[in-house]
Short mmCIF file of all heavy atoms in Angstrom, two decimals:
data_model
loop_
_atom_site.label_atom_id
_atom_site.label_comp_id
_atom_site.label_asym_id
_atom_site.label_seq_id
_atom_site.Cartn_x
_atom_site.Cartn_y
_atom_site.Cartn_z
N ASN A 36 0.77 -1.23 0.01
CA ASN A 36 0.01 -0.02 0.00
C ASN A 36 0.81 1.30 -0.02
O ASN A 36 0.59 2.27 -0.71
CB ASN A 36 -0.94 0.01 1.16
CG ASN A 36 -2.01 -1.02 1.16
OD1 ASN A 36 -2.44 -1.48 0.08
ND2 ASN A 36 -2.61 -1.42 2.22
N PHE A 37 1.92 1.19 0.74
CA PHE A 37 2.87 2.35 0.77
C PHE A 37 3.50 2.62 -0.53
O PHE A 37 3.51 3.72 -1.00
CB PHE A 37 3.99 2.07 1.84
CG PHE A 37 5.03 3.22 1.80
CD1 PHE A 37 4.91 4.34 2.50
CD2 PHE A 37 6.18 3.01 1.09
CE1 PHE A 37 5.94 5.28 2.47
CE2 PHE A 37 7.21 3.81 1.02
CZ PHE A 37 7.08 5.21 1.70
N LEU A 38 3.92 1.56 -1.27
CA LEU A 38 4.56 1.75 -2.54
C LEU A 38 3.44 2.24 -3.58
O LEU A 38 3.87 3.12 -4.32
CB LEU A 38 5.20 0.40 -3.08
CG LEU A 38 6.40 -0.03 -2.35
CD1 LEU A 38 6.84 -1.37 -2.82
CD2 LEU A 38 7.55 1.06 -2.54
N ARG A 39 2.34 1.78 -3.57
CA ARG A 39 1.36 2.27 -4.48
C ARG A 39 0.95 3.75 -4.31
O ARG A 39 0.94 4.48 -5.18
CB ARG A 39 0.04 1.40 -4.35
CG ARG A 39 0.07 0.07 -5.01
CD ARG A 39 -1.33 -0.52 -5.09
NE ARG A 39 -1.86 -0.96 -3.76
CZ ARG A 39 -1.67 -2.15 -3.29
NH1 ARG A 39 -1.06 -3.10 -3.97
NH2 ARG A 39 -2.15 -2.45 -2.21
N GLN A 40 0.83 4.05 -3.06
CA GLN A 40 0.64 5.45 -2.68
C GLN A 40 1.89 6.39 -3.14
O GLN A 40 1.65 7.43 -3.61
CB GLN A 40 0.49 5.70 -1.12
CG GLN A 40 0.18 7.10 -0.73
CD GLN A 40 -1.12 7.63 -1.33
OE1 GLN A 40 -2.04 6.97 -1.60
NE2 GLN A 40 -1.07 8.96 -1.59
N ARG A 41 3.12 5.93 -2.87
CA ARG A 41 4.23 6.66 -3.21
C ARG A 41 4.33 6.84 -4.78
O ARG A 41 4.71 7.93 -5.19
CB ARG A 41 5.52 5.91 -2.67
CG ARG A 41 6.79 6.80 -2.88
CD ARG A 41 8.03 6.10 -2.37
NE ARG A 41 8.40 4.94 -3.21
CZ ARG A 41 9.42 4.13 -2.97
NH1 ARG A 41 10.21 4.34 -1.94
NH2 ARG A 41 9.68 3.10 -3.76
N HIS A 42 4.14 5.84 -5.46
CA HIS A 42 4.20 5.97 -6.94
C HIS A 42 3.15 6.81 -7.46
O HIS A 42 3.36 7.53 -8.53
CB HIS A 42 4.10 4.61 -7.59
CG HIS A 42 5.27 3.74 -7.14
ND1 HIS A 42 5.16 2.30 -7.23
CD2 HIS A 42 6.49 4.02 -6.74
CE1 HIS A 42 6.39 1.88 -6.78
NE2 HIS A 42 7.11 2.83 -6.42
N ARG A 43 1.94 6.84 -6.84
CA ARG A 43 0.85 7.77 -7.26
C ARG A 43 1.26 9.22 -7.04
O ARG A 43 0.93 10.07 -7.84
CB ARG A 43 -0.42 7.48 -6.54
CG ARG A 43 -1.10 6.33 -7.16
CD ARG A 43 -2.63 6.33 -6.63
NE ARG A 43 -2.62 6.06 -5.19
CZ ARG A 43 -2.81 4.96 -4.63
NH1 ARG A 43 -2.88 3.85 -5.25
NH2 ARG A 43 -2.99 4.86 -3.25
N THR A 44 2.08 9.50 -5.98
CA THR A 44 2.30 10.93 -5.62
C THR A 44 3.61 11.43 -6.18
O THR A 44 3.71 12.60 -6.46
CB THR A 44 2.35 11.03 -4.03
OG1 THR A 44 3.36 10.10 -3.48
CG2 THR A 44 1.03 10.82 -3.44
N ASP A 45 4.52 10.61 -6.41
CA ASP A 45 5.85 11.12 -6.92
C ASP A 45 6.38 10.59 -8.29
O ASP A 45 7.32 10.90 -8.77
CB ASP A 45 6.94 11.05 -5.96
CG ASP A 45 7.39 9.63 -5.59
OD1 ASP A 45 7.05 8.70 -6.32
OD2 ASP A 45 8.09 9.43 -4.59
N GLY A 46 5.54 9.56 -8.78
CA GLY A 46 5.93 8.98 -10.07
C GLY A 46 7.33 8.41 -10.17
O GLY A 46 7.94 8.42 -11.25
N ARG A 47 7.82 7.70 -9.10
CA ARG A 47 9.00 7.13 -9.17
C ARG A 47 9.01 6.02 -10.31
O ARG A 47 8.09 5.16 -10.32
CB ARG A 47 9.48 6.49 -7.85
CG ARG A 47 9.81 7.57 -6.82
CD ARG A 47 10.46 6.88 -5.66
NE ARG A 47 10.58 7.81 -4.60
CZ ARG A 47 11.18 7.53 -3.49
NH1 ARG A 47 11.77 6.27 -3.28
NH2 ARG A 47 11.28 8.45 -2.41
N GLU A 48 10.14 5.89 -10.99
CA GLU A 48 10.20 4.88 -12.04
C GLU A 48 10.92 3.60 -11.48
O GLU A 48 10.88 2.57 -12.08
CB GLU A 48 10.99 5.43 -13.31
CG GLU A 48 10.18 6.40 -13.95
CD GLU A 48 10.86 6.94 -15.22
OE1 GLU A 48 12.04 6.46 -15.55
OE2 GLU A 48 10.24 7.82 -15.94
N GLU A 49 11.86 3.76 -10.48
CA GLU A 49 12.53 2.66 -9.89
C GLU A 49 12.14 2.48 -8.49
O GLU A 49 12.76 2.91 -7.56
CB GLU A 49 14.04 2.91 -10.02
CG GLU A 49 14.56 3.05 -11.44
CD GLU A 49 16.01 3.19 -11.49
OE1 GLU A 49 16.76 2.19 -11.04
OE2 GLU A 49 16.54 4.18 -11.87
N PRO A 50 11.02 1.71 -8.28
CA PRO A 50 10.49 1.53 -6.93
C PRO A 50 11.43 0.72 -6.01
O PRO A 50 11.25 0.70 -4.82
CB PRO A 50 9.23 0.79 -7.14
CG PRO A 50 9.31 0.05 -8.39
CD PRO A 50 10.18 1.08 -9.23
N HIS A 51 12.37 0.02 -6.55
CA HIS A 51 13.23 -0.90 -5.70
C HIS A 51 14.57 -0.28 -5.37
O HIS A 51 15.52 -0.98 -4.94
CB HIS A 51 13.43 -2.24 -6.33
CG HIS A 51 12.13 -2.90 -6.65
ND1 HIS A 51 11.22 -3.19 -5.63
CD2 HIS A 51 11.59 -3.36 -7.72
CE1 HIS A 51 10.10 -3.85 -6.14
NE2 HIS A 51 10.34 -3.90 -7.45
N GLU A 52 14.68 1.12 -5.50
CA GLU A 52 15.96 1.80 -5.16
C GLU A 52 15.88 2.39 -3.77
O GLU A 52 14.77 2.95 -3.46
CB GLU A 52 16.31 2.89 -6.11
CG GLU A 52 16.61 2.29 -7.45
CD GLU A 52 18.07 1.69 -7.67
OE1 GLU A 52 18.71 1.93 -6.62
OE2 GLU A 52 18.33 1.11 -8.65
N LEU A 53 16.84 2.18 -2.98
CA LEU A 53 16.85 2.92 -1.79
C LEU A 53 17.27 4.32 -1.93
O LEU A 53 18.09 4.56 -2.81
CB LEU A 53 17.84 2.20 -0.69
CG LEU A 53 17.40 0.90 -0.14
CD1 LEU A 53 18.58 0.23 0.60
CD2 LEU A 53 16.18 1.01 0.79
N GLY A 54 16.88 5.25 -1.15
CA GLY A 54 17.33 6.61 -1.27
C GLY A 54 17.38 7.50 -0.09
O GLY A 54 16.86 8.53 -0.04
N ASP A 55 18.03 6.92 0.95
CA ASP A 55 18.15 7.53 2.18
C ASP A 55 18.86 8.92 2.17
O ASP A 55 18.43 9.96 2.69
CB ASP A 55 18.92 6.82 3.25
CG ASP A 55 18.03 6.50 4.48
OD1 ASP A 55 16.94 6.86 4.53
OD2 ASP A 55 18.69 6.12 5.51
N LEU A 56 19.92 8.98 1.42
CA LEU A 56 20.74 10.25 1.29
C LEU A 56 20.82 10.58 -0.16
O LEU A 56 20.90 9.73 -1.07
CB LEU A 56 22.18 10.01 1.84
CG LEU A 56 22.25 9.58 3.29
CD1 LEU A 56 23.81 9.45 3.59
CD2 LEU A 56 21.67 10.63 4.18
N GLU A 57 20.68 11.90 -0.42
CA GLU A 57 20.77 12.34 -1.83
C GLU A 57 22.21 12.31 -2.31
O GLU A 57 23.12 12.46 -1.58
CB GLU A 57 20.29 13.76 -1.89
CG GLU A 57 18.77 13.86 -1.49
CD GLU A 57 17.85 13.20 -2.43
OE1 GLU A 57 18.18 13.15 -3.63
OE2 GLU A 57 16.81 12.68 -2.00
N PRO A 58 22.37 12.12 -3.68
CA PRO A 58 23.76 12.22 -4.23
C PRO A 58 24.44 13.52 -3.95
O PRO A 58 23.76 14.52 -3.95
CB PRO A 58 23.51 11.88 -5.76
CG PRO A 58 22.19 11.24 -5.81
CD PRO A 58 21.34 11.72 -4.65
N PHE A 59 25.71 13.60 -3.93
CA PHE A 59 26.48 14.80 -3.68
C PHE A 59 26.64 15.47 -5.07
O PHE A 59 27.25 14.94 -5.95
CB PHE A 59 27.81 14.39 -3.07
CG PHE A 59 28.61 15.60 -2.71
CD1 PHE A 59 28.38 16.20 -1.44
CD2 PHE A 59 29.67 16.09 -3.51
CE1 PHE A 59 29.15 17.24 -1.13
CE2 PHE A 59 30.44 17.12 -3.09
CZ PHE A 59 30.13 17.77 -1.88
N HIS A 60 26.08 16.65 -5.16
CA HIS A 60 26.09 17.46 -6.36
C HIS A 60 26.84 18.77 -6.18
O HIS A 60 26.19 19.75 -5.95
CB HIS A 60 24.70 17.75 -6.94
CG HIS A 60 24.09 16.52 -7.50
ND1 HIS A 60 24.58 15.80 -8.56
CD2 HIS A 60 23.02 15.82 -7.03
CE1 HIS A 60 23.80 14.81 -8.90
NE2 HIS A 60 22.81 14.82 -8.02
N PRO A 61 28.20 18.88 -6.22
CA PRO A 61 28.80 20.20 -6.04
C PRO A 61 28.62 21.05 -7.21
O PRO A 61 28.50 20.66 -8.37
CB PRO A 61 30.31 19.73 -5.98
CG PRO A 61 30.45 18.50 -6.68
CD PRO A 61 29.10 17.75 -6.46
N ASP A 62 28.49 22.34 -6.96
CA ASP A 62 28.32 23.35 -7.91
C ASP A 62 29.57 23.31 -8.77
O ASP A 62 30.71 23.43 -8.36
CB ASP A 62 28.26 24.75 -7.19
CG ASP A 62 27.92 25.85 -8.20
OD1 ASP A 62 28.28 25.69 -9.41
OD2 ASP A 62 27.31 26.84 -7.83
N PRO A 63 29.46 23.38 -10.14
CA PRO A 63 30.76 23.33 -11.00
C PRO A 63 31.50 24.55 -10.94
O PRO A 63 32.72 24.49 -11.17
CB PRO A 63 30.15 22.98 -12.43
CG PRO A 63 28.70 23.56 -12.26
CD PRO A 63 28.20 23.19 -10.94
N ASN A 64 30.98 25.61 -10.57
CA ASN A 64 31.63 26.91 -10.42
C ASN A 64 31.36 27.62 -9.07
O ASN A 64 30.77 28.75 -9.15
CB ASN A 64 31.32 27.83 -11.55
CG ASN A 64 31.74 27.28 -12.95
OD1 ASN A 64 32.86 27.04 -13.16
ND2 ASN A 64 30.78 27.00 -13.81
N PRO A 65 31.67 27.08 -8.04
CA PRO A 65 31.40 27.63 -6.76
C PRO A 65 32.30 28.84 -6.39
O PRO A 65 33.43 28.91 -6.87
CB PRO A 65 31.60 26.55 -5.71
CG PRO A 65 32.69 25.77 -6.38
CD PRO A 65 32.45 25.82 -7.82
N GLY A 66 31.72 29.79 -5.61
CA GLY A 66 32.46 30.94 -5.11
C GLY A 66 33.47 30.50 -4.10
O GLY A 66 33.43 29.22 -3.58
N PRO A 67 34.32 31.37 -3.48
CA PRO A 67 35.39 31.03 -2.53
C PRO A 67 34.64 30.41 -1.23
O PRO A 67 35.19 29.45 -0.66
CB PRO A 67 35.97 32.37 -2.23
CG PRO A 67 35.78 33.20 -3.39
CD PRO A 67 34.42 32.82 -3.93
N GLU A 68 33.58 31.01 -0.74
CA GLU A 68 32.99 30.50 0.50
C GLU A 68 32.36 29.20 0.21
O GLU A 68 32.50 28.32 1.02
CB GLU A 68 31.88 31.48 0.93
CG GLU A 68 32.50 32.77 1.40
CD GLU A 68 31.31 33.71 2.03
OE1 GLU A 68 30.17 33.36 1.92
OE2 GLU A 68 31.59 34.80 2.42
N ARG A 69 31.81 28.99 -0.93
CA ARG A 69 31.14 27.69 -1.31
C ARG A 69 32.25 26.65 -1.38
O ARG A 69 32.11 25.54 -0.98
CB ARG A 69 30.35 27.91 -2.58
CG ARG A 69 29.76 26.60 -3.02
CD ARG A 69 28.61 26.24 -2.18
NE ARG A 69 27.83 25.11 -2.76
CZ ARG A 69 26.95 24.42 -2.14
NH1 ARG A 69 26.58 24.65 -0.83
NH2 ARG A 69 26.24 23.38 -2.75
N ARG A 70 33.40 26.95 -2.08
CA ARG A 70 34.49 26.00 -2.15
C ARG A 70 35.00 25.58 -0.88
O ARG A 70 35.34 24.46 -0.65
CB ARG A 70 35.52 26.69 -3.02
CG ARG A 70 35.34 26.72 -4.53
CD ARG A 70 36.59 26.86 -5.32
NE ARG A 70 37.30 28.11 -4.94
CZ ARG A 70 37.05 29.34 -5.59
NH1 ARG A 70 36.23 29.41 -6.49
NH2 ARG A 70 37.72 30.32 -5.05
N THR A 71 35.14 26.55 0.13
CA THR A 71 35.62 26.25 1.43
C THR A 71 34.61 25.35 2.14
O THR A 71 35.00 24.24 2.73
CB THR A 71 35.80 27.48 2.28
OG1 THR A 71 36.75 28.34 1.64
CG2 THR A 71 36.23 27.20 3.68
N LEU A 72 33.24 25.59 2.05
CA LEU A 72 32.38 24.78 2.67
C LEU A 72 32.26 23.41 2.11
O LEU A 72 32.27 22.35 2.81
CB LEU A 72 30.88 25.37 2.53
CG LEU A 72 29.75 24.51 3.07
CD1 LEU A 72 29.93 24.33 4.64
CD2 LEU A 72 28.52 25.37 2.85
N LEU A 73 32.35 23.29 0.72
CA LEU A 73 32.36 21.99 0.14
C LEU A 73 33.61 21.14 0.55
O LEU A 73 33.47 19.97 0.68
CB LEU A 73 32.32 22.12 -1.48
CG LEU A 73 31.01 22.65 -1.91
CD1 LEU A 73 31.14 22.91 -3.44
CD2 LEU A 73 29.82 21.71 -1.77
N ALA A 74 34.78 21.85 0.64
CA ALA A 74 35.99 21.14 1.01
C ALA A 74 35.89 20.60 2.45
O ALA A 74 36.27 19.43 2.73
CB ALA A 74 37.17 22.04 0.86
N GLU A 75 35.26 21.35 3.30
CA GLU A 75 35.03 20.92 4.73
C GLU A 75 34.12 19.71 4.78
O GLU A 75 34.27 18.72 5.54
CB GLU A 75 34.47 22.07 5.54
CG GLU A 75 35.57 23.20 5.75
CD GLU A 75 34.90 24.44 6.56
OE1 GLU A 75 33.70 24.32 6.75
OE2 GLU A 75 35.59 25.29 6.83
N LEU A 76 32.95 19.81 3.98
CA LEU A 76 31.96 18.75 3.96
C LEU A 76 32.61 17.48 3.34
O LEU A 76 32.39 16.36 3.90
CB LEU A 76 30.79 19.13 3.13
CG LEU A 76 29.92 20.29 3.78
CD1 LEU A 76 28.81 20.63 2.85
CD2 LEU A 76 29.36 19.79 5.12
N ARG A 77 33.36 17.63 2.34
CA ARG A 77 34.05 16.47 1.73
C ARG A 77 34.99 15.75 2.79
O ARG A 77 35.05 14.59 2.86
CB ARG A 77 34.80 16.89 0.44
CG ARG A 77 35.49 15.74 -0.21
CD ARG A 77 34.56 14.70 -0.69
NE ARG A 77 33.67 15.21 -1.78
CZ ARG A 77 33.25 14.58 -2.81
NH1 ARG A 77 33.74 13.31 -3.02
NH2 ARG A 77 32.46 15.13 -3.68
N THR A 78 35.71 16.64 3.51
CA THR A 78 36.70 16.07 4.54
C THR A 78 35.84 15.35 5.55
O THR A 78 36.29 14.35 6.00
CB THR A 78 37.50 17.28 5.09
OG1 THR A 78 38.32 17.88 4.01
CG2 THR A 78 38.43 16.75 6.20
N LEU A 79 34.74 15.99 5.97
CA LEU A 79 34.00 15.31 6.96
C LEU A 79 33.49 14.10 6.52
O LEU A 79 33.47 13.02 7.26
CB LEU A 79 32.86 16.25 7.40
CG LEU A 79 31.82 15.81 8.50
CD1 LEU A 79 32.60 15.47 9.84
CD2 LEU A 79 30.83 16.93 8.67
N LEU A 80 32.82 14.04 5.26
CA LEU A 80 32.31 12.76 4.73
C LEU A 80 33.41 11.69 4.65
O LEU A 80 33.17 10.56 5.01
CB LEU A 80 31.70 13.02 3.31
CG LEU A 80 31.09 11.86 2.62
CD1 LEU A 80 29.97 11.24 3.46
CD2 LEU A 80 30.58 12.26 1.27
N ASP A 81 34.60 12.11 4.19
CA ASP A 81 35.72 11.16 4.04
C ASP A 81 36.05 10.49 5.45
O ASP A 81 36.31 9.34 5.54
CB ASP A 81 36.84 11.81 3.43
CG ASP A 81 36.70 11.98 1.90
OD1 ASP A 81 35.89 11.39 1.32
OD2 ASP A 81 37.52 12.85 1.39
#
């Protein structure tokens, strides 16, 4: 029932994929502050 409801509301094409965390998408041209933050986050994730 949960999957049927989810597919009706968000139209997912791959119902058997887990998705707890979103993929990491860094800005291709970040500014200095953004670059610093991304570097810190990458270090933390590593």
Side-chain angles (χ1 to χ4, degrees):
N36 290 338
F37 172 83
L38 287 176
R39 282 194 289 269
Q40 180 62 33
R41 186 180 71 178
H42 297 157
R43 282 196 295 267
T44 56
D45 67 14
R47 290 191 188 185
E48 295 182 357
E49 295 187 66
H51 299 305
E52 293 283 352
L53 290 173
D55 233 13
L56 302 178
E57 297 296 326
F59 187 80
H60 288 296
D62 187 336
N64 297 299
E68 292 183 359
R69 179 70 170 166
R70 284 198 300 272
T71 299
L72 176 60
L73 289 174
E75 291 175 356
L76 290 175
R77 179 63 67 139
T78 299
L79 180 58
L80 179 59
D81 287 343

